[in-house]
Amino acid sequence: MSLHTELTSISGMTTEVLQIVNGFRNNPDYKILAITANPSSDLALMSDYILSYKVPIVRLNQHEDLTSQIPALYLLEVLSNSLLQLNAKDEDINVDEVSPLD
């Protein structure tokens, strides 16, 4: 069985995110999906799948990042809804009756 994990990072270079991805990379049961604004980042290179987006990087100081995460959230929402639709077809579920909190 293949398990999946999704990680989001604007830069794709955040140390903590890379440490997490490295843990999943060492487990052959996992496939990694990166959602990042930097498709040539370390995160992207370590991942099995990449969804990239363009967004202006906005920083006040080195560690004060004001860059919008809305594109990444949108991609996660679309993926979630698509998976719900696919699951519903497989299990004959009426998705109009499924609460988003279920």
Side-chain angles (χ1 to χ4, degrees), residues 21-58:
V21 128
N22 200 42
F24 285 111
R25 249 180 69 166
N26 294 329
N27 186 332
D29 292 335
Y30 279 91
K31 294 292 181 188
I32 301 164
L33 168 65
I35 301 176
T36 180
N38 184 357
S40 60
S41 67
D42 288 349
L43 173 62
L45 295 173
M46 294 169 73
S47 299
D48 298 296
Y49 307 101
I50 307 161
L51 291 176
S52 64
Y53 57 94
K54 293 186 183 214
V55 64
I57 306 299
V58 180

Side-chain angles (χ1 to χ4, degrees), residues 2-74:
S2 181
L3 304 170
H4 297 83
T5 188
E6 297 84 23
L7 293 125
T8 63
S9 172
I10 294 169
S11 70
M13 303 296 281
T14 307
T15 302
E16 294 83 3
V17 172
L18 296 176
Q19 288 173 344
I20 291 168
V21 128
N22 200 42
F24 285 111
R25 249 180 69 166
N26 294 329
N27 186 332
D29 292 335
Y30 279 91
K31 294 292 181 188
I32 301 164
L33 168 65
I35 301 176
T36 180
N38 184 357
S40 60
S41 67
D42 288 349
L43 173 62
L45 295 173
M46 294 169 73
S47 299
D48 298 296
Y49 307 101
I50 307 161
L51 291 176
S52 64
Y53 57 94
K54 293 186 183 214
V55 64
I57 306 299
V58 180
R59 291 189 185 273
L60 293 179
N61 295 307
Q62 183 179 2
H63 299 290
E64 295 176 24
D65 192 346
L66 299 178
T67 305
S68 176
Q69 288 281 6
I70 291 175
L73 292 174
Y74 174 77

